[in-house]
């Protein structure tokens, strides 16, 4: 969206072909976005930050640690077992060490349930309560998403305004340009609408869950598996609609040509057999 808006702005002045400096600037921007996105995704799985991102430990077939108890449940069980233990907070490393001491003959190791698995899906944990130490990280990323949605909406609105103004200036003299501008405006309207329909309710549900007003984590599967992927699926179709139409048309034409070749070959074989039979 930024590239499209910037491209329209640059069209107001006479320009030559794209310079090497502009290409390098674009590549650096894309590389920076990729590095930032990868860093945000990797940080929650680093062992150094497990006390912030690991929410529970899962024990298979253990009668004492049933299911996947959180840190508070671990501390309660350890206090009951180790009578001299007087602590309010412990790290996961300390908890694992004490759990191993409880099962000397048959060591028990809990499997961490981390940032990406706390909602039953291997996805980013946006629905965090105020008591969760992950909330600062989720809030930071959510703020970035709000900023991105605002930038996308602003850029596409600008593109829509420019194309509308262009159509008004052209008037009825160039029907081809008017047709192109109308198609652009239609696609932009679809993009803005789908983005707002997908992201605004999602962000609102995250904010409500964070504030503690209402528990909305039960809706996470609907947003993450249905609504947001559908938005990601629709956007490239709308943006590259002309290219996709050409590809579909080419595939249909190729299939039609193959069918014609097969039909013609079959007709030729039939004619050859008929000629042989007549000679006999």
């Amino acid at each position: 969206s930024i590239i499209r808006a910037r491209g329209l702005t640059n069209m107001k002045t006479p320009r030559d072909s794209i310079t090497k400096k502009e290409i390098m600037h674009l590549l650096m921007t894309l590389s920076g976005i990729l590095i930032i996105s990868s860093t945000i995704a990797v940080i929650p799985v680093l062992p150094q930050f497990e006390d912030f991102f690991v929410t529970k430990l899962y024990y298979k077939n253990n009668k004492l640690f049933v299911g996947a108890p959180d840190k508070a449940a671990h501390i309660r069980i350890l206090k009951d077992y180790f009578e001299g233990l007087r602590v309010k907070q412990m790290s996961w490393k300390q908890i694992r060490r004490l759990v191993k001491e409880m099962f000397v003959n048959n060591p028990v190791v809990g499997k961490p349930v981390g940032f990406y698995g706390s909602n039953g899906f291997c996805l980013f944990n946006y629905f965090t309560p105020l008591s969760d130490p992950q909330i600062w990280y989720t809030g930071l990323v959510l703020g970035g998403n709000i900023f991105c949605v605002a930038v996308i909406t602003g850029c596409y609105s600008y593109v829509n305004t420019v194309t509308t103004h262009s159509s008004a200036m052209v008037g009825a003299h160039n029907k081809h340009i008017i047709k192109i501008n109308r198609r652009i405006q239609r696609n932009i309207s679809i993009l803005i609408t789908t983005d707002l329909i997908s992201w605004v309710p999602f962000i609102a549900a995250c904010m409500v869950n964070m504030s503690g007003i209402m528990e909305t984590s039960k809706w996470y599967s609907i947003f993450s598996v249905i609504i947001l992927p559908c938005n990601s699926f629709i956007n490239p179709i709308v943006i590259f609609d002309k290219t996709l139409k050409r590809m579909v048309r080419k595939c249909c034409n190729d299939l039609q040509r193959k069918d014609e070749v097969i039909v013609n070959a079959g007709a030729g074989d039939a004619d050859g057999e008929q000629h042989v039979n007549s000679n006999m």
Side-chain angles (χ1 to χ4, degrees):
S1 60
I2 294 174
I3 293 172
R4 287 190 173 219
R6 188 170 180 270
L8 283 178
T9 303
N10 292 336
M11 285 174 62
K12 295 178 181 179
T13 57
R15 292 177 55 81
D16 297 326
S17 59
I18 299 175
T19 63
K20 291 183 179 180
K21 183 178 180 181
E22 290 174 327
I23 294 174
M24 289 300 299
H25 185 268
L26 178 61
L27 291 175
M28 289 176 64
T29 302
L30 295 175
S31 300
I33 293 172
L34 182 61
I35 291 171
I36 293 172
S37 301
S38 302
T39 303
I40 291 172
V42 169
I43 284 178
V45 299
L46 294 176
Q48 295 87 340
F49 303 106
E50 68 171 4
D51 285 320
F52 289 101
F53 297 109
V54 173
T55 55
K56 303 173 184 178
L57 292 180
Y58 171 72
Y59 300 90
K60 186 177 180 180
N61 299 328
N62 189 286
K63 296 181 179 179
L64 185 58
F65 296 98
V66 180
D70 58 10
K71 188 175 283 190
H74 275 88
I75 293 175
R76 286 196 300 269
I77 295 172
L78 291 173
K79 281 184 177 182
D80 292 338
Y81 187 85
F82 298 98
E83 295 181 358
L85 190 64
R86 298 287 184 273
V87 292
K88 292 183 178 180
Q89 294 294 331
M90 298 177 68
S91 66
W92 283 117
K93 185 177 181 181
Q94 293 172 325
I95 290 173
R96 288 194 185 93
R97 179 176 57 80
L98 293 176
V99 169
K100 285 183 179 180
E101 292 180 8
M102 293 173 63
F103 303 92
V104 179
N105 297 327
N106 187 18
V108 173
V109 179
K111 184 178 180 180
V113 178
F115 188 76
Y116 291 103
S118 56
N119 285 292
F121 297 89
C122 188
L123 297 169
F124 201 91
N125 184 20
Y126 281 106
F127 289 70
T128 52
L130 281 172
S131 58
D132 198 318
Q134 302 171 2
I135 191 169
W136 66 271
Y137 192 76
T138 301
L140 183 66
V141 176
L142 189 63
N145 286 338
I146 295 172
F147 175 76
C148 291
V149 171
V151 169
I152 291 170
T153 304
C155 288
Y156 278 129
S157 298
Y158 172 73
V159 173
N160 190 40
T161 303
V162 171
T163 52
T164 303
H165 181 66
S166 175
S167 297
M169 290 180 63
V170 171
H173 301 292
N174 196 326
K175 294 182 179 180
H176 179 65
I177 294 178
I178 293 175
K179 184 178 178 181
I180 292 174
N181 287 344
R182 284 178 179 174
R183 181 174 60 82
I184 293 173
Q185 291 169 3
R186 181 200 65 200
N187 291 351
I188 289 171
S189 299
I190 295 173
L191 286 170
I192 293 175
T193 302
T194 54
D195 283 343
L196 293 178
I197 290 175
S198 301
W199 282 101
V200 170
F202 178 74
I203 292 171
C206 293
M207 299 294 288
V208 169
N209 193 79
M210 285 182 180
S211 61
I213 298 173
M214 181 180 175
E215 175 66 30
T216 59
S217 58
K218 58 185 178 182
W219 300 340
Y220 188 70
S221 58
I222 299 174
F223 281 108
S224 59
V225 179
I226 299 175
I227 297 178
L228 296 181
C230 285
N231 178 55
S232 301
F233 175 75
I234 291 171
N235 282 354
I237 293 177
V238 175
I239 294 171
F240 303 105
D241 62 335
K242 203 169 182 180
T243 304
L244 290 173
K245 286 178 182 177
R246 281 200 302 266
M247 291 173 62
V248 172
R249 193 180 299 115
K250 185 177 182 300
C251 291
C252 292
N253 292 336
D254 291 342
L255 290 174
Q256 186 176 359
R257 290 194 197 99
K258 288 181 180 179
D259 291 339
E260 290 175 356
V261 170
I262 293 172
V263 170
N264 292 333
D269 293 340
D271 292 339
E273 291 178 1
Q274 185 177 1
H275 181 69
V276 171
N277 292 333
S278 62
N279 291 334
M280 292 178 64

